[in-house]
Amino acid sequence: MPHVVTQACCADASCVHACPVNCIHPTPDEPDFATAEMLYIDPDVCVDCGACVGACPVGAIVPDDRLAPGEQVFLDLNAVLSTPSRPYPPQAPVPPIRRLERGRGPAGEP
Ligand code: SF4
Ligand code: SF4
């Protein structure tokens, strides 16, 4: 019984690093992230922990047994987008933290 990304998703990837099994894709380091209108959850890998739900700023992630009648299509959409399952590391790479300096832009930038 996986969780499902629904239409409200704005593809900001806030949920990606909350997932303990890296089953939300595309992640920001994957080539198709730049053109993705929404992210999706691989139902064969999701362990139903619910960690992604609180990380989503727009409430786009729902357990599949709580989908509204009009949202059932997203159960199929997440599954189709996950086929074939892609190879990926157990945790999505975390981008480096940028150091800010008072009165200036990020380190190394004017
Ligand atoms: S419910 Fe857990 S395992 Fe499934 S996508 Fe969300 S964070 Fe990942
Ligand atoms: S946190 Fe929510 S809105 Fe952002 S990418 Fe994940 S599902 Fe989509």
Side-chain angles (χ1 to χ4, degrees):
M1 304 296 282
H3 280 54
V4 177
V5 179
T6 62
Q7 189 161 26
C9 177
C10 59
D12 72 337
S14 297
C15 55
V16 166
H17 293 100
C19 180
V21 293
N22 194 17
C23 70
I24 306 173
H25 294 274
T27 59
D29 61 302
E30 292 173 327
D32 47 339
F33 179 79
T35 55
E37 293 184 12
M38 62 177 281
L39 272 57
Y40 59 86
I41 291 172
D42 186 334
D44 293 334
V45 182
C46 175
V47 295
D48 236 10
C49 68
C52 53
V53 174
C56 179
V58 295
I61 303 178
V62 183
D64 69 346
D65 58 357
R66 293 195 191 162
L67 287 167
E71 295 177 326
Q72 290 294 326
V73 64
F74 292 103
L75 185 61
D76 293 336
L77 183 60
N78 280 241
V80 167
L81 291 172
S82 299
T83 306
S85 194
R86 63 177 82 194
Y88 45 80
Q91 186 70 49
V94 178
I97 296 172
R98 304 179 77 190
R99 184 167 56 89
L100 297 177
E101 296 178 10
R102 186 182 299 274
R104 302 191 62 191
E109 296 177 18

